[in-house]
Amino acid sequence: RQLEETTTRFQVGSSFSGEQALGGAFTAMASWIEDKEPQQPASLHLVKQFATEGIQLDELFFLQQDSRLALTTTLSSSQHQFEDRKVELHRQEELEAFCAELGEDLILKRQLSLPGAIKALPGGSRVTGLGPVGADAADQEGPTLTDLKKIQLPTSVFLCVEAIRSTTYFSKEGGSEGIGESVPSELLESLPPEIRTALAERQEAYQAYQSP
């Protein structure tokens, strides 16, 4: 199933414009991000700004170690965050699994399901504070990743979902191997209608791809 096909020509370092099904018309800027490893190729970073409710789409194209192309997309809005979350960590293995999926910016790299959690934490969730188990609000705000790794258990971790992040992987033959993680329904409902419709179509295609 083909959802959309667009062609956009641009020069890295210069602003450009375009239009796509997810978000409509946009203005954008592209840049190269050098890898920390000298032998690895640079990643291509596109930042697309849409007029719809301050929506921004970050696209990061990079090569994996097996030389396959991957695309990480991060959808955010300057006008609102999507929701707040709290997760309780009781065991060291839960804390280690949680920290392993966090970047230095305390943002989850991908969707994460923890034992005992009713709902998975969406990729793009950012840690905002820590507190005792059962607390309704954090008593330690703005922790670092080092703080979190050394926290005394059990603890409550407070997060805000400021972005929706997923990764698409491509085969060497040029085909796509899925379109990343599905977007939780409660997050879809908080988005503008045109964005919600486009994401829902992508989610449907992803589920169809996974079905035998």
Side-chain angles (χ1 to χ4, degrees):
R1 179 182 177 184
Q2 180 172 307
L3 295 179
E4 64 175 308
E5 181 178 350
T6 59
T7 299
T8 304
R9 293 180 173 83
F10 60 89
Q11 181 176 346
V12 175
S14 301
S15 61
F16 62 95
S17 59
E19 188 169 354
Q20 61 184 55
L22 178 56
F26 63 83
T27 58
M29 178 72 75
S31 62
W32 293 109
I33 299 179
E34 297 295 333
D35 196 280
K36 295 180 180 179
E37 298 295 331
Q39 303 301 322
Q40 295 296 319
S43 301
L44 179 62
H45 183 211
L46 275 66
V47 179
K48 297 178 178 178
Q49 301 279 356
F50 299 87
T52 306
E53 293 193 18
I55 292 293
Q56 175 174 302
L57 185 66
D58 286 67
E59 298 178 334
L60 184 66
F61 296 84
F62 59 97
L63 288 178
Q64 301 185 106
Q65 292 184 345
D66 60 2
S67 298
R68 291 193 308 162
L69 178 66
L71 165 62
T72 293
T73 60
T74 304
L75 179 70
S76 60
S77 171
S78 61
Q79 297 186 15
H80 69 282
Q81 65 184 48
F82 298 112
E83 65 173 353
D84 294 314
R85 289 282 183 91
K86 182 183 77 170
V87 62
E88 294 183 353
L89 303 176
H90 294 266
R91 299 190 301 273
Q92 184 64 29
E93 54 266 32
E94 293 176 349
L95 176 61
E96 292 175 355
F98 183 71
C99 291
E101 298 300 335
L102 287 173
E104 290 293 335
D105 54 5
L106 292 183
I107 296 177
L108 278 176
K109 303 173 186 176
R110 57 185 63 84
Q111 181 173 290
L112 176 63
S113 296
L114 291 170
I118 298 176
K119 297 188 294 185
L121 295 170
S125 304
R126 180 174 62 85
V127 175
T128 57
L130 306 171
V133 170
D136 293 326
D139 60 10
Q140 179 184 348
E141 297 183 353
T144 66
L145 185 56
T146 300
D147 293 335
L148 186 55
K149 289 180 177 179
K150 296 180 179 179
I151 193 71
Q152 185 175 353
L153 299 175
T155 189
S156 293
V157 181
F158 295 84
L159 308 97
C160 65
V161 184
E162 297 176 323
I164 299 173
R165 180 176 295 175
S166 63
T167 301
T168 303
Y169 301 97
F170 300 90
S171 67
K172 294 181 179 180
E173 290 73 27
S176 170
E177 294 196 359
I179 58 169
E181 301 162 354
S182 59
V183 180
S185 59
E186 66 270 17
L187 296 188
L188 281 176
E189 293 304 317
S190 68
L191 293 167
E194 56 269 41
I195 301 290
R196 184 166 64 242
T197 299
L199 280 176
E201 289 179 347
R202 291 189 177 198
Q203 181 170 336
E204 181 182 347
Y206 177 54
Q207 291 171 341
Y209 172 84
Q210 289 188 314
S211 302

